Amino acid sequence: MAPDADKLRLRKSVLSSGQPGIDDHGREETIDRLVTLKSLRGNEVCIDGVIYDITSFDHPGGETIRVFGGNDATIQYKMIHPYHTAKHLEKMKVVGRVPDYVSEYKWDTDFEREMKKEVFKIVHRGKEFGTTGYFVRATVYIFVFLVLQFQWMQQTSFPLAIVYGISMAFIGLNVQHDANHGAASKRVWINDLLGLGADWIGGSKYLWMEKHWTHHTYTNHRDLDPDGLAAEPFLLFNDYDLLSPKRAPYHAFQAFYFVLVLAGYWISSVVDFPMIYNLQDRGTLEVGIRLDNDWIQSKRKYGFGLRLLYLFCNVVVPLYNNFSLVTLAQINVMGISGSLTLGLLFTLSHNFDGADRDPTKPVRETGEPVCWFKSQVETSSTYGGFVAGCLTGGLNFQIEHHLFPRMSSAWYPYIAPTVRRVCEKHGVKYTFFPYVWQNMYSTFKYTHEVGNGSHWKNNPFKGET
């Protein structure tokens, strides 16, 4: 369901009598109010149209639930808790309802049920977290990163800049990603600690959760996926029609400057002090997610402090050791190396020839919700196998990751054949590339065709200008 209610539906705000009633599970409750989604308070979340107060809720997965305070968290809840039923929600306090709640996605479909049934035969409940192999891999990447960082703070060089930048990307792929999904360990403090890997490499754990979880919720949604909109107006990933005002003549050449835009990600992110100070991801705000709750604001000092520490270690100290244009160039090469490693691997996951770039189109055309599980498969791709998984933190298994985001990446090679088999049985398109270069080629091809609008030309079903 979209977080910005004005975009998709009109809701009425009606005060209730506040009288006790009986909920759908036979519990006595007091419905304080009937409200719109925009009327949610920062300590409340909406799940399937029911409003819950999470102020005193002791969440087993830690405080990360509070990232979503003030928002519809239906999809986040269901994708993070694949085992849960409505019974588990009884632990939270009901304080209201959204009377005309409607979702763009549907759940508990035949495809979803069989996918869960078959995958859970391989990965049993409570065993979906990081394996010994995962922690060995993470330890190796952390050790290499720390050694290179120590050397960087002693004396910089261009070869070191490249290797150190790539090692930062590997922390992002192999350490913080699983942790900030709550998938590294069932122990919250381990996830919290490893999740700070995002800050070690110039990002932010909190900004990452805001944006990345929204991306998972609305993957390739034309209006609500911040990843699909983040590069605009420089790059178009959404295949807008030829008359769209978002199109510009220079987009016809975007495949040629695509890499340059990705290379600039580091510098644009690291020096974005207003965003790290406010701790509100700009792209996530633009798609309608509220990020003004008290919990997020309470983390501002940590996010800002960690960013200053990163800049001190990676920019200030090298310049103090040797203040020169050469050192400045080496710092930029370090950032570019990390940006390209991360950017290219993340971009190819959902932007390739044949990807579903508009999964909720049937909702607009027929009003019928779409299967969320199906949309995750058809908007994503998988490439390579076990070795690629060890290098990319399992993100080469992007389909498996989007179906089970709170499962450790260490399990994806083992469930991939089953996921593919169930997809084939249900007629769901599973996109697989044997090698990463094939996926990369498909991404550049798609980017070029989106830029020049070729998907819309010479097609009698889409029209021609």
Side-chain angles (χ1 to χ4, degrees):
M1 176 170 180
D4 190 340
D6 288 345
K7 288 183 180 179
L8 298 177
R9 64 192 61 81
L10 177 64
R11 302 189 181 282
K12 297 179 180 179
S13 182
V14 184
L15 293 178
S16 74
S17 62
Q19 296 300 312
I22 303 297
D23 72 1
D24 294 338
H25 308 291
R27 296 173 298 165
E28 183 176 319
E29 62 177 2
T30 297
I31 303 293
D32 290 333
R33 65 200 195 284
L34 304 180
V35 300
T36 68
L37 284 178
K38 282 193 172 183
S39 299
L40 291 179
R41 297 161 184 163
N43 62 333
E44 298 171 343
V45 294
C46 175
I47 300 176
D48 282 332
V50 180
I51 304 169
Y52 298 91
D53 186 332
I54 58 175
T55 304
S56 58
F57 178 55
D58 185 15
H59 184 229
E63 292 186 327
T64 53
I65 186 177
R66 306 190 190 283
V67 172
F68 309 117
N71 293 282
D72 174 20
T74 301
I75 301 175
Q76 290 94 328
Y77 172 78
K78 292 183 177 181
M79 70 181 180
I80 295 171
H81 306 92
Y83 299 102
H84 283 204
T85 65
K87 184 175 179 62
H88 292 84
L89 293 172
E90 295 178 10
K91 299 177 182 178
M92 295 193 291
K93 180 182 178 182
V94 176
V95 295
R97 294 185 186 276
V98 177
D100 53 350
Y101 181 89
V102 179
S103 177
E104 292 183 285
Y105 296 97
K106 60 183 175 181
W107 301 82
D108 199 32
T109 62
D110 291 341
F111 175 59
E112 176 187 344
R113 286 194 297 270
E114 181 161 4
M115 182 64 74
K116 289 180 178 180
K117 176 183 176 183
E118 295 303 313
V119 168
F120 294 161
K121 289 179 181 178
I122 302 170
V123 185
H124 301 293
R125 183 172 185 175
K127 303 296 184 181
E128 65 268 26
F129 301 102
T131 61
T132 300
Y134 165 78
F135 283 103
V136 168
R137 172 171 31 112
T139 300
V140 169
Y141 283 120
I142 291 172
F143 176 77
V144 171
F145 166 78
L146 292 176
V147 169
L148 293 174
Q149 183 178 62
F150 177 79
Q151 293 178 338
W152 180 256
M153 295 177 69
Q154 304 304 307
Q155 184 176 4
T156 60
S157 68
F158 285 108
L160 178 59
I162 294 172
V163 176
Y164 181 41
I166 294 174
S167 78
M168 285 187 179
F170 281 171
I171 293 293
L173 295 168
N174 291 274
V175 180
Q176 72 87 23
H177 188 268
D178 271 44
N180 283 325
H181 271 292
S185 173
K186 65 175 62 177
R187 295 180 175 85
V188 175
W189 70 268
I190 294 179
N191 290 322
D192 286 343
L193 178 62
L194 296 181
L196 291 175
D199 298 86
W200 305 345
I201 64 175
S204 167
K205 169 182 177 174
Y206 306 108
L207 292 175
W208 185 93
M209 286 192 291
E210 292 170 1
K211 184 176 184 178
H212 193 71
W213 275 112
T214 304
H215 157 67
H216 269 267
T217 305
Y218 303 107
T219 310
N220 282 10
H221 193 295
R222 182 163 294 205
D223 300 315
L224 303 174
D225 182 356
D227 279 6
L229 303 171
E232 294 182 3
F234 305 106
L235 295 172
L236 295 183
F237 289 124
N238 287 331
D239 193 11
Y240 299 111
D241 64 76
L242 295 178
L243 295 178
S244 172
K246 293 196 174 185
R247 286 192 174 275
Y250 58 80
H251 288 134
F253 307 99
Q254 67 178 13
F256 300 99
Y257 63 80
F258 170 57
V259 172
L260 294 178
V261 174
L262 294 182
Y265 173 77
W266 177 83
I267 189 66
S268 66
S269 174
V270 167
V271 300
D272 194 341
F273 294 111
M275 190 163 70
I276 188 65
Y277 178 77
N278 293 318
L279 215 59
Q280 297 181 350
D281 179 74
R282 195 171 294 110
T284 308
L285 286 173
E286 289 176 354
V287 302
I289 300 292
R290 287 181 54 193
L291 301 172
D292 56 354
N293 64 66
D294 291 341
W295 186 83
I296 290 177
Q297 296 308 304
S298 71
K299 303 300 180 183
R300 290 169 56 187
K301 55 183 177 293
Y302 303 114
F304 192 71
L306 288 168
R307 178 61 55 84
L308 291 179
L309 178 61
Y310 172 85
L311 290 171
F312 176 79
C313 294
N314 294 284
V315 178
V316 175
V317 171
L319 287 174
Y320 177 80
N321 292 335
N322 181 21
F323 190 83
S324 67
L325 291 177
V326 172
T327 303
L328 193 61
Q330 290 166 345
I331 292 171
N332 277 280
V333 168
M334 176 266 292
I336 290 171
S337 298
S339 294
L340 286 179
T341 305
L342 281 174
L344 287 171
L345 291 177
F346 272 116
T347 301
L348 59 82
S349 301
H350 307 289
N351 305 282
F352 52 90
D353 201 25
D356 187 350
R357 285 297 319 182
D358 192 8
T360 57
K361 183 179 179 181
V363 182
R364 299 195 304 272
E365 294 179 341
T366 68
E368 291 295 318
V370 297
C371 173
W372 186 84
F373 261 61
K374 179 176 182 291
S375 73
Q376 295 307 296
V377 175
E378 296 186 341
T379 56
S380 308
S381 64
T382 287
Y383 66 84
F386 180 82
V387 174
C390 291
L391 295 173
T392 67
L395 293 186
N396 58 311
F397 295 100
Q398 197 67 200
I399 292 174
E400 290 70 22
H401 174 56
H402 269 256
L403 289 174
F404 302 99
R406 206 179 173 215
M407 180 182 291
S408 171
S409 59
W411 290 107
Y412 295 152
Y414 302 101
I415 70 170
T418 295
V419 170
R420 193 170 184 177
R421 173 175 56 80
V422 175
C423 288
E424 183 178 0
K425 178 179 177 180
H426 287 263
V428 176
K429 183 181 179 183
Y430 182 105
T431 301
F432 173 73
F433 297 94
Y435 300 101
V436 63
W437 68 264
Q438 295 168 322
N439 200 163
M440 195 74 70
Y441 173 82
S442 185
T443 294
F444 275 89
K445 180 175 182 290
Y446 171 81
T447 304
H448 180 58
E449 292 173 347
V450 167
N452 62 31
S454 62
H455 293 155
W456 293 86
K457 296 176 180 177
N458 301 318
N459 188 334
F461 297 102
K462 292 185 176 179
E464 182 75 72
T465 59

